[in-house]
Amino acid sequence: MNRIDPNRTTQADMARIAKAVRALQAVNGVCPLAMRIAGTPVQTPGDIRSVRRTMPDANLVLTEMVAVLPEHALEITVSATEYLDFPVYEYLVTIRNLSCSKSPLITDLYAADVMLPGAEPVLYRCSGDFYSEKGYHTTAAPLSAETERIAPTEGRSCNEAFPYFRVACEGFGYNLAIGWPGRWLAEFSQRGDSFRFAAKQYDTAFSLLPGEVYRAPRITVMAYEGDELRGMNLWRRWYMRHILPRSAGQPVPPMMPIYHPAGDEEFTHTTEENQLEAIETYAKRGFHGDIWWIDAGWYPCRDEKGERHWPLIGNWIPDPERYPNGLGPVGEACARHGLRFLVWFEPERVILDHRPPEMPERFILKRRVEQNGKSWIDAQGLLNLGDPECRKWLTNHVNRLIQESHIAIYRQDFNFDPLPYWQQADAPDRIGMTENQHVQGYLAYWDALLEANPGLIIDSCAAGGRRNDLETMRRSVTMHPTDYGYGDPPIKQRFYNALFAWIPYFRALSIIWKEENGKYLLNEPDPRGLDNYALHNGLGPMFNSGVFCDDPQELLDRVRTFADTVWRPAAPYMMEGDYYPLTETRCSDHDWCAYAFFDPKKESGFVHLIRNPYAEAETFTAHLTPLDPACTYRFTNPETGEQFDAAGNAALTFALPARSGAIWFFEPQA
């Protein structure tokens, strides 16, 4: 066979990104940074003092340019990354105050403001995550002369907006990403045979303190030849090779978590005893996972009535009543059974009454609430990661717990809106700087954890997937990309379609709710449990088993068989293969959902089909365009043992009963 891979990087792709880089650098020879200083527009980088280029490996060229604006005593550093194996260019700008006094006021600071070549541009955008069936909804619309302004809400980067965009032009396109874990702004408009792309931290008007550094959002640009589908798969390949974190030098692998909450409010009923017993029970019953998961509630969290509630957080120590020896014994048991120990944290949120005595009060940003003529301080505060002393305290505290407890996966959540705290802490001439310093501290904190704990995996969670920008994803994976629709299959089908396209490593949930006339009843378990339909709607690079150690043996065996025969063979294709959606995902229980993954290196992959409960069509016909028309492929259903052979260009018709799913693996025949 040895066919040309349609999604490999080509000379045409590299020529296209070179043209885009010329446009990016056209403003000032460096990057399209734009701002006003003391009211005067500034685009020049100033006097260039140094330019240093390095190649950390054969595929990366790093360039660091340092320039100075002497009249303002400001040092501008541009750190650019050129990828030699993908048509991608990135850059990050920082500004430092070199003087011993406050800088002039800096306003209208854009990390990017550029005209990119491309006629008839169509903008593909996604709605992000915000606990709604409207989340992760992708739309496409032509750009016009009127500026399209897109921004998340309330300070988390993916809250009601998504910092990933695709602009399709005539025969080529761009993938664009804004790496900013706070509130960003993107602007798009068409101008002739080009379009404007501008991006920045949403709201800034600040003077820098002596020695202080401002960090702008990182800008990522991929240019590609071909259609939108090719652009998506080039992005997936680049992401998996260069963005997906490594653990012990290897990409984070497909994993299946197991757990034992032991009660009905998160993990507030867990104890050392019941966790150790559950780990052993799973093993004795022949059900082997990859992660042992302890979520919210393992710390002291009693209210004034003596009842435990997981949101009462701030004191990050194992509850001595339930974990008298700390979490170490559980971590050691995980190691013995080949499990990675995952523990949930939410360090940025501090319930003021639960602040540990060793945490200085000055570390906490507070918010004043005003309503109906009354004013009070909110009961929860925001840990100020922009304070270096605070960040050092937190880093030392969490590092010690990670090491003492043998934690392999650090799970960080963020369940409230930080923007009001940042805004109330800003002085009139410091607008945006509390957020900027917090974001810098957040990234530095994660970098410190990763450096101190080789092999550590970070799981990014923010009330679901509300802080999964590219700067966050460089350091983490998302094992919980949404809090919405756990058991609603049509919702999950659309959500996962968007995630496969932009953030290809995520955990899918096999939970299923009771459905009535196409509507799913929130949090009401389906009496049919984890049947074929539920399991097929939980297929992702990470697979959530949905079983507990005390479930009937028949259920454990059913889920284990599905994991071993369907999920584990499929997961490598979801990570290494190209993604081909075969149906729309309209959140409808009256549709089929179908997609394929294909690995051109192996010339193999799979087709996944789901017939939702009210889909009238009994069959679905698929055309697998990446297959070699001259080759014959064998298709195998691992659940039924059925097989058939078909040519690569054949129209494949599959039949399914309503409310069921099937996967067909295929490979070429000699």
Side-chain angles (χ1 to χ4, degrees), residues 171-202:
F172 65 94
Y174 303 89
N175 293 317
L176 306 166
I178 303 169
W180 187 248
R183 189 168 66 147
W184 47 267
L185 173 67
E187 297 179 356
F188 293 90
S189 59
Q190 181 189 18
R191 297 183 186 177
D193 288 338
S194 298
F195 68 92
R196 176 175 176 257
F197 166 59
K200 66 170 186 170
Q201 182 184 341
Y202 187 90

Side-chain angles (χ1 to χ4, degrees), residues 50-127:
S50 66
V51 177
R52 184 167 65 96
R53 289 184 174 86
T54 58
M55 288 189 67
D57 64 44
N59 293 316
L60 297 179
V61 177
L62 305 183
T63 302
E64 182 180 85
M65 185 219 70
V66 180
V68 173
L69 296 170
E71 65 273 30
H72 302 301
L74 294 175
E75 179 184 80
I76 299 175
T77 301
V78 180
S79 300
T81 304
E82 178 186 359
Y83 293 82
L84 302 184
D85 54 344
F86 285 92
V88 177
Y89 182 78
E90 300 182 293
Y91 64 89
L92 170 67
V93 177
T94 60
I95 303 173
R96 180 190 300 272
N97 182 3
L98 299 176
S99 75
C100 298
S101 58
K102 273 189 177 182
S103 75
L105 193 67
I106 301 172
T107 59
D108 301 317
L109 198 163
Y110 281 84
D113 193 346
V114 62
M115 298 299 299
L116 290 171
E120 300 185 14
V122 175
L123 174 64
Y124 290 77
R125 54 183 290 196
C126 178
S127 60

Side-chain angles (χ1 to χ4, degrees), residues 423-438:
Q423 290 177 327
Q424 290 187 19
D426 282 342
D429 65 345
R430 299 275 294 164
I431 295 173
M433 280 309 297
T434 305
E435 173 186 343
N436 197 276
Q437 294 296 322
H438 187 102

Side-chain angles (χ1 to χ4, degrees), residues 12 98 235 258 285 299 310 343 376 425 535 565 574 599 624:
L98 299 176
W235 174 272
I258 54 176
R285 301 185 70 186
Y299 36 81
W310 73 266
V343 178
W376 66 93
L535 293 171
T565 62
M574 289 187 273
D599 186 343
L624 302 185

Side-chain angles (χ1 to χ4, degrees), residues 496 500 508 535-541 562 566-567 570 574 595 608 663:
Y496 297 165
F500 279 135
L535 293 171
H536 275 279
N537 275 286
L539 203 61
F562 182 86
V566 176
W567 170 67
M574 289 187 273
Y595 57 84
H608 191 212
I663 193 168

